[in-house]
Amino acid sequence: MGGWFSSQPLTESENSRVKIIHSLARWQLDFNEFKESQTLVVIDFSATWCGPCRFMEPILDAMSNEYTDVEFIKIDVDELSDVAKDLNVQAMPTFVLLKKGKEVDRVIGAKKDELQNKIREHRA
Amino acid sequence: MAVSGFEGFEKRLELHFFGDDPIIFQLGLRKIVFESIQQVLEAVQCTVVSAVGNSYFDAYVLSESSLFVYPTKIIIKTCGTTQLLKSILPLIHYANQIGLTLCSCRYTRGSFIFPNSQPFPHTSFNDEVTFLEDTIPSNLCHRKASIMPSKSSSHSWHVFTAHSSITHRNHSDSDIFTMEICMTELDPILARKFFRRPGDGKTGDSAGKEMTELTGINEINPNAFICDFAFDPCGYSMNGMDNDWYSTIHVTPEDGFSYASFECVGSVNDNIAHVLRKVVQIFRPGTMSISTTSNDYSNEMLKKMVNAVEPLGLKCRSRAVDRFPASETVVFQTFMARRRSV
């Protein structure tokens, strides 16, 4: 029965490769790594109070298991509001696709087919 | 007119809640977990097709229309043969669980193109009202049901409202109105833009985005973020989001039962004339109705609406006004394109 307050911080699911970044320090470390790598990075900007983000969660988890050559990150816009602001996140969920630290694409909204297509397009 | 086809005319439900605890109240209904929302949608036989949220509200595009979740109100609008009223009890249940109580309910719809295809209780307005009377909690004791007429018996506006004694209205609400536009007999050439091109290799999301841009829907409110979707082989839905302002469009483009709706919340300061002009230019309907719900209406506002669409060939044929509990006024106007001689 759903009734618990969804104000708890995001937690990693057991069967998912999605990594959650909770601190600015962690973000800066990881971002420096991204700049050096050819790997496609997909960042999911979410909020605990946003229903559409919840809708997308299991879909993103499944994608992370399917596309194992892609890095999946999740950021809570309240926890890391500066990062969200820097990347101009206004509606949620927003998925920002990075390659070598540069944004190559983004999907705004819980659009699973669109996100899937863009991941396939940019992962090569 | 076809013998039977997809019913574009929507049923619309708007529920308002209040709570005593200001901490819960901030997020309000958005604290209902998505899994619970999904269960409500299952009861209505809809699924989420696309969704987006901002700091003010969540907007979902459904398989059969739209859902909006604000902290203190929920708006669900569904078409086809969905049983929208089945959402009421589960929504009240989930809201109660987080300390929120229903304080008002409003149900509206136009006239079905295929009334005989509707399941109970949508078989007649009487049946719907009976169902609502039995379902709505008794603390919503101020109730009224009304069928607002036009010059045609096949185009009426049905309204049921129920309010509790305590009004939870802000004074800032007095400038706000909800506008529901229903259009039929769409221009067939314009309606074609809402058909998918076979083998286009696009997703519903990207085909929807293309339709939004090709038709100029993105120009109705250039500030709004649009969450759109194109159905296969035809049909289109979108929700627009601009801070706490919403809009929603649904299109059934098939000839013989073509239909399009546009709804938004507006304020008396908005450029409603611009919005109406754009909507008419996008669809060029044979008939159109505009229903506005507000604390009060001004003749000036109504004149603005009529003056906006008349130069585009839509003549105002009727106007009905009715007052409802907790000082709500509904105005129902119908328009017909001058090219129609029937």
Side-chain angles (χ1 to χ4, degrees), chain B residues 299-313:
Chain B
N299 276 317
E300 210 184 296
M301 171 61 74
L302 297 181
K303 225 195 281 182
K304 244 195 252 183
M305 292 182 179
V306 171
N307 289 342
V309 303
E310 190 153 314
L312 299 171

Side-chain angles (χ1 to χ4, degrees), chain A residues 1-7 48-58 90-93 108-115 117, chain B residues 24 27 30-31 33-36 38 48-55 58-60 93-94 97-98 203 205-206 225 227-228 241:
Chain A
M1 235 9 142
W4 54 277
F5 297 113
S6 52
S7 57
T48 52
W49 36 262
C50 172
C53 300
R54 269 303 276 232
F55 167 68
M56 248 338 240
E57 255 170 48
Q90 291 172 345
M92 279 149 301
I108 305 176
K111 296 170 175 257
K112 50 181 177 165
D113 291 338
E114 188 75 348
L115 181 61
N117 271 17
Chain B
I24 297 176
L27 278 178
R30 296 181 85 181
K31 278 196 168 293
V33 293
F34 177 70
E35 286 75 7
S36 302
Q38 217 156 23
V48 174
V49 150
S50 189
V52 75
N54 68 5
S55 49
D58 292 325
Y60 299 86
H93 167 78
Y94 291 123
Q97 280 190 329
I98 55 171
T203 63
D205 302 319
S206 55
F225 173 76
C227 186
D228 40 27
M241 177 179 261

Side-chain angles (χ1 to χ4, degrees), chain A residues 4-18:
Chain A
W4 54 277
F5 297 113
S6 52
S7 57
Q8 296 161 354
L10 298 174
T11 49
E12 281 158 6
S13 346
E14 278 177 13
N15 296 323
S16 151
R17 283 179 56 246
V18 180

Side-chain angles (χ1 to χ4, degrees), chain B residues 216-232:
Chain B
I217 283 173
N218 54 343
E219 293 162 19
I220 298 173
N221 176 358
N223 282 337
F225 173 76
I226 292 178
C227 186
D228 40 27
F229 194 86
F231 295 90
D232 207 346

Side-chain angles (χ1 to χ4, degrees), chain B residues 161-310:
Chain B
T161 70
H163 286 265
S164 64
S165 301
I166 316 152
T167 43
H168 299 273
R169 218 174 274 281
N170 313 333
H171 286 293
S172 60
D173 283 355
S174 53
D175 290 335
I176 297 176
F177 60 90
T178 305
M179 181 166 73
E180 296 170 65
I181 300 176
C182 306
M183 295 167 276
T184 57
E185 295 166 54
L186 309 181
D187 180 313
I189 296 176
L190 295 174
R192 281 229 70 81
K193 295 186 184 180
F194 298 100
F195 281 78
R196 295 280 299 268
R197 280 172 291 121
D200 62 10
K202 284 183 181 281
T203 63
D205 302 319
S206 55
K209 184 161 190 260
E210 194 180 62
M211 285 180 191
T212 299
E213 286 164 7
L214 273 174
T215 56
I217 283 173
N218 54 343
E219 293 162 19
I220 298 173
N221 176 358
N223 282 337
F225 173 76
I226 292 178
C227 186
D228 40 27
F229 194 86
F231 295 90
D232 207 346
C234 66
Y236 167 91
S237 287
M238 79 72 137
N239 292 331
M241 177 179 261
D242 178 7
N243 291 320
D244 64 346
W245 178 96
Y246 78 91
S247 69
T248 181
I249 292 179
H250 300 282
V251 187
T252 302
E254 293 104 310
D255 205 20
F257 49 92
S258 67
Y259 173 87
S261 67
F262 175 86
E263 172 183 333
C264 71
V265 65
S267 121
V268 291
N269 304 318
D270 289 346
N271 191 352
I272 281 298
H274 162 80
V275 169
L276 283 172
R277 271 195 294 268
K278 278 239 78 86
V279 169
V280 171
Q281 280 162 357
I282 291 166
F283 297 104
R284 293 253 173 229
T287 77
M288 178 172 84
S289 71
I290 305 178
S291 309
T292 53
T293 306
S294 57
N295 271 12
D296 204 351
Y297 74 97
S298 71
N299 276 317
E300 210 184 296
M301 171 61 74
L302 297 181
K303 225 195 281 182
K304 244 195 252 183
M305 292 182 179
V306 171
N307 289 342
V309 303
E310 190 153 314

Side-chain angles (χ1 to χ4, degrees), chain A residues 98-110:
Chain A
L98 298 178
K99 244 190 161 167
K100 292 210 113 181
K102 291 225 150 69
E103 178 174 334
V104 294
D105 220 330
R106 75 167 54 193
V107 174
I108 305 176

